[in-house]
Amino acid sequence: MGRAASGEGAERGRSARIPTPRVSVEDSGLPLPATGDLGDPPPPPAPPVFAHPVLKALLGAWALAACSAEEAAAVEEHLGACGSCADEARRLREAVGLLQRPESLDLDPGLRTRVLDTCLERRPPRVPVPEWAAAYDAETARLDALLQDFGDAEWHAPVRLRWFRSDESTSRRTTVAGVIAHLLSVDGLVGVALGLDDPLGDAPARRPTPAARTEAFWRASHFPPTRSVRAPWREQSHSLVRTVSFTGGGAERTPVSYGDFELPLPDAMLDRAFECWVHAEDIADAVDYPYDPPSPRHLHRMIDLAARMLPTALAQRRRAGLAAPAHHRHLVAAGEPGRSLRLEIEGSGGGEWLIPLDSPGAKGSAEHEVAHVALDGVEFCRLAAGHVPPQEAAAGQVGDKEAIRDVLFAAASLSRM
């Protein structure tokens, strides 16, 4: 009996909660009401009215397109009547455009040069940097900017130094810090020639060559080089630029010994600028960061130095039996025209050079041209750095195949650790 009562109560509760079906007016048999009897539709809601302080506070959100449709409409209507808010809205929109630029945030590599040129036009320096040292000044500054935000992981990232020896590519594994130590050691050759302190200190080098000095520096370090090597490298680069600037034109005759050969100071500074750029690219590749070539005028000077060094490099390879046999040569007196190869460098920093083939003292001659090679400027520099195999470097070749091969391999032999 109790269960029946509770069941009946539950049934009454369920029926009370279920609504009855609604009867449609169409099912009642009565005529439908006329549309006029329904009255006019209700008017749309009036747009919200905002006071001036509220609209002014919404300008930032409006510039960022973060307002609702009603707020945006109210702001835009207000801008047509309020000059001060219109000016503020224009400034905010321009600022938003700067924040949302689609291009890369990396600085243009030519920006530093343009800024310095503009500054120097307004106020020339009391002690100008020689033109032949400007490339070194620029490339060390670019590399230092790349290193500025490196953490410990980047400083210990593996880097493989590559160069060309005899007819084979070779390499040496190190780290980003090890590369900077290498630059510090080899730049020290220029510092020693100028009377500055040797960064090797008392560390003995087996030979006064770049490779031997680098190995001596690495051996003298109790631990692998770390970020601490950046400060002495940068200080030395500043000292070199300051010293050659204060020394003036007399420093141009200073020889810089590389152990196996010598370069005059202007060429040595260009050589150090070239190696700084090449190793900066090695570092950038190791940390997966883009790095642009030097400015065209500096790149042209680097290419010109390599082109001027080719006849000597070719003669050295010939003495070592690595170039064409002697019976293909026509020896000429120093300063006289002889067989030549036209080296055409395309792109920024390019130009044309006539390379004498038979003697370093001979004069390049268009009348005695036997071959023509065309190369991109950056490609030629990477060939001279030992980063591109000679067989794959030439974009265009015409003429004596042996002469072309000899010059390309001679260019690769300019590279060193």
Side-chain angles (χ1 to χ4, degrees), residues 37-55:
D37 298 336
L38 298 176
D40 295 330
V49 178
F50 298 99
H52 180 271
V54 176
L55 292 169

Side-chain angles (χ1 to χ4, degrees), residues 54-74:
V54 176
L55 292 169
K56 186 174 182 179
L58 287 172
L59 291 179
W62 173 83
L64 292 168
C67 287
S68 65
E70 293 82 3
E71 292 171 339

Side-chain angles (χ1 to χ4, degrees), residues 277-300:
W277 162 46
V278 169
H279 288 323
E281 279 199 337
D282 292 336
I283 292 172
D285 289 343
V287 298
D288 196 22
Y289 195 85
Y291 201 82
D292 291 323
S295 65
R297 63 171 180 163
H298 294 161
L299 188 63
H300 179 81

Side-chain angles (χ1 to χ4, degrees), residues 218-241:
W218 286 343
R219 285 194 308 269
S221 302
H222 298 292
F223 301 97
T226 62
R227 66 167 67 242
S228 61
V229 76
R230 177 191 172 198
W233 165 76
R234 191 64 179 122
E235 178 56 34
Q236 178 177 256
S237 66
H238 283 309
S239 297
L240 291 178
V241 174

Side-chain angles (χ1 to χ4, degrees), residues 22-30 32:
R22 292 184 296 174
V23 179
S24 172
V25 68
E26 297 176 353
D27 298 331
S28 63
L30 300 176
L32 297 176

